[in-house]
Amino acid sequence: MAMILGLDIGGANTKAASSDGTLAQSIYLPLWQGAPLGEALQSWAELDPEAVAVVMTGELADCFPSKLAGAQSLISEVKKAFSCPISFWGTEGFRWADPRDLAGANWSASATFLCREMGDGIFADMGSTTTDLIPIAGRPLAGKTDYQRLARGELVYTGMLRTTLVSLLPAATIRGESIPLSAELFAIAADAYLALGDISEDGYSCATPDGRGRSRKEALSRLARSVCSDLEEIGEEAALAIAAQAREHQLRRIVSALHRLSAKHGLAGVMAAGVGEMVVARAAALAGLSCRRLSQVYGREISNVLPAYAVARLLESQRESR
Amino acid sequence: MAMILGLDIGGANTKAASSDGTLAQSIYLPLWQGAPLGEALQSWAELDPEAVAVVMTGELADCFPSKLAGAQSLISEVKKAFSCPISFWGTEGFRWADPRDLAGANWSASATFLCREMGDGIFADMGSTTTDLIPIAGRPLAGKTDYQRLARGELVYTGMLRTTLVSLLPAATIRGESIPLSAELFAIAADAYLALGDISEDGYSCATPDGRGRSRKEALSRLARSVCSDLEEIGEEAALAIAAQAREHQLRRIVSALHRLSAKHGLAGVMAAGVGEMVVARAAALAGLSCRRLSQVYGREISNVLPAYAVARLLESQRESR
């Protein structure tokens, strides 16, 4: 059966979804390490889609000398893989002039789709690496570039998995003492969430910082190393304290971003999506906002790859309206 | 001519110095990436030293499952390379029972040596990755483990080169707006110091985050990427503002660590060493403390590899006193 395929090409993960919701897939493909994006695109091309809709954020990966070069490279990779019609979504929709208009625009597809489907609110998509917080009031109101969105608190550079621990938690409190964390890439958010039981080993879908496994013991060891220690040296309780405090700091950061946007735009409802949907829902409750979890509307798999699904749905509508 | 060789095996850099001061060398050997430490040790073995004295911090690198395993591995690498007598320095000196006593003890060799040579003060050694701040009052008074030293402010995990920008500066102020930095490894302290003219391309002796070059333009581009931007997007002035603010934040962090230790131990003088000696000297002035720059006592080359030199001198004294 003919289908519309949506793709969301990120720096760390590339996601695919079909407009009918039967396909929803996320593959860890770290572009800055030269991951085989072409092969993944090829495998989706073999599903023989009728048309492909694409959003991207991967142009920011530092394997590309500039965002323009990154966007051009990703456009060309997609064109190489698919023979069907391809539409790229930028911050102004499917019509764009400069490849830079496509840079970091995946949130825009999700927000445009949700604005139509669900109306006003703060769309909050917490992924492996970043959290998009997009005010929607009649239309998506976010800044057009990543830089503008950082400044406005609409792009919070913190995620469920890849975020380095020291950027979540500059110092941990252990047995009454404040211990500044090492600035090395010794542990990440995924280690904290796995140790706390919030995600499974399967949910730890990015590379581990030390190349070792995803067991609870290995995650706890990485947490201990973040304060320059072995696990035996500080003990499991202390490693768990680091994890709990990192989770708490991240939560508070999202609460305060929600507060700021809710006050600015007079919005009282949140639409939560992404692998960190649960964290967003907790943050919304703490911020005194109502929350709809998009996994309960579209299913968990779609919530995790929402921009890919949204851009497929947007293309489908456009084709139907012609 | 017979010589005593001192080695300081770090996670990122391994340093060598002879007790007569004629050799002083630092090589970028990132152990967690499997750098060829054995080859470097072999090349120093060809200098045919009479004896070798070793300190280490590299056991913390996450290629090792634990500090014990790391220390054992480094001991065995050194023993493989040298046929002359080898002495390892731990926090209690050349006598040690457990390889863990050697972990992170390079500061202890420097401080023991300086205590004898120069008397009381705060020994402050700012390297590529970390800054050791060791109070000396009759003897070195620092905590024995990295964990204890983090807690006591005697190990500040910030350095001249490898420190990620976001851990120096969580948010930059650009044209009146506060812009949180990306939590990616897009730029490091070396980019800030190079852009500001504080270090040369040669002084940028670690790997660049994106694998590109060390030109001023390339460093500025990395600084721009730290706020998810191209250099053309935010402009050189904004990239320099990020660099200046990162430098300022790092300086203030060292000032406050010096304050804390100076007040606690009643010490009014600083002995500054390392590739960041200049930064320590600035911090000492801001903290109202006197400062002796060890490059002016022992020469710049020795100041940059002080633990290697110190441990060689300590071994030399021990041999002479027998």
Side-chain angles (χ1 to χ4, degrees), chain B residues 33 46 63 66 94 115 128 153 162 167 186 191 204 214 254:
Chain B
Q33 289 174 352
E46 282 163 18
C63 48
S66 66
F94 285 120
C115 177
S128 67
R162 292 185 53 248
S167 77
F186 281 156
D191 292 310
Y204 194 138
R214 293 170 173 76
I254 296 171

Side-chain angles (χ1 to χ4, degrees), chain B residues 196-217:
Chain B
L196 295 167
D198 286 337
I199 62 169
S200 65
E201 292 190 30
D202 280 350
Y204 194 138
S205 60
C206 61
T208 59
D210 56 4
R212 285 177 224 286
R214 293 170 173 76
S215 69
R216 183 163 181 278
K217 181 77 184 286

Side-chain angles (χ1 to χ4, degrees), chain B residues 5-307:
Chain B
L5 180 71
L7 294 175
D8 177 13
I9 306 176
N13 296 282
T14 289
K15 295 154 181 177
S18 59
S19 60
D20 64 5
T22 55
L23 172 76
Q25 208 176 356
S26 177
I27 306 185
Y28 180 63
L29 288 169
L31 298 185
W32 71 95
Q33 289 174 352
L37 175 63
E39 284 174 30
L41 295 175
Q42 200 51 55
S43 75
W44 286 313
E46 282 163 18
L47 303 175
D48 199 20
E50 186 182 331
V52 178
V54 183
V55 286
M56 64 177 67
T57 59
E59 76 292 333
L60 185 64
D62 65 6
C63 48
F64 304 119
S66 66
K67 293 196 218 178
L68 175 61
Q72 284 169 332
S73 165
L74 296 181
I75 291 170
S76 123
E77 285 264 30
V78 174
K79 286 188 173 166
K80 211 158 57 186
F82 292 90
S83 51
C84 63
I86 305 168
S87 302
F88 293 88
W89 179 274
T91 46
E92 304 293 339
F94 285 120
R95 296 168 75 174
W96 53 278
D98 187 310
R100 276 172 286 213
D101 297 340
L102 307 180
N106 71 346
W107 61 269
S108 158
S110 303
T112 302
F113 170 69
L114 289 175
C115 177
R116 192 182 77 186
E117 294 270 309
M118 304 186 60
D120 290 356
I122 299 171
F123 165 56
D125 187 351
M126 183 173 189
S128 67
T129 307
T130 57
T131 303
D132 290 315
L133 298 160
I134 312 298
I136 301 174
R139 61 189 175 83
L141 295 175
K144 296 296 180 201
T145 64
D146 282 348
Y147 180 87
Q148 289 168 358
R149 295 197 302 121
L150 280 173
R152 296 152 64 126
E154 297 157 353
L155 167 57
V156 180
Y157 219 104
T158 197
M160 263 315 265
L161 303 179
R162 292 185 53 248
T163 310
T164 55
L165 217 67
V166 67
S167 77
L168 288 181
L169 184 71
T173 303
I174 299 176
R175 290 183 273 272
E177 281 188 317
S178 173
I179 320 289
L181 267 65
S182 148
E184 302 285 353
L185 179 55
F186 281 156
I188 55 179
D191 292 310
Y193 284 112
L194 187 123
L196 295 167
D198 286 337
I199 62 169
S200 65
E201 292 190 30
D202 280 350
Y204 194 138
S205 60
C206 61
T208 59
D210 56 4
R212 285 177 224 286
R214 293 170 173 76
S215 69
R216 183 163 181 278
K217 181 77 184 286
E218 287 165 305
L220 288 168
S221 291
R222 285 189 286 269
L223 292 165
R225 185 172 272 120
S226 73
V227 288
C228 299
S229 297
D230 286 338
L231 183 55
E232 304 77 64
E233 194 177 341
I234 59 165
E236 184 171 321
E237 205 175 317
L240 283 173
I242 297 170
Q245 291 167 37
R247 177 172 69 179
E248 179 66 15
H249 271 241
Q250 187 173 51
L251 183 64
R252 272 190 258 151
R253 190 155 168 209
I254 296 171
V255 169
S256 103
L258 286 174
H259 263 308
R260 176 176 170 189
L261 294 174
S262 139
K264 179 171 173 191
H265 298 282
L267 296 167
V270 173
M271 297 171 257
V275 294
E277 190 188 278
M278 170 192 67
V279 177
V280 171
R282 282 184 206 148
L286 291 174
L289 303 172
S290 68
C291 183
R292 289 191 72 178
R293 298 179 60 155
L294 295 183
S295 64
Q296 290 166 4
V297 181
Y298 300 104
R300 159 128 308 279
E301 299 307 308
I302 294 292
S303 169
N304 287 355
V305 301
L306 197 74

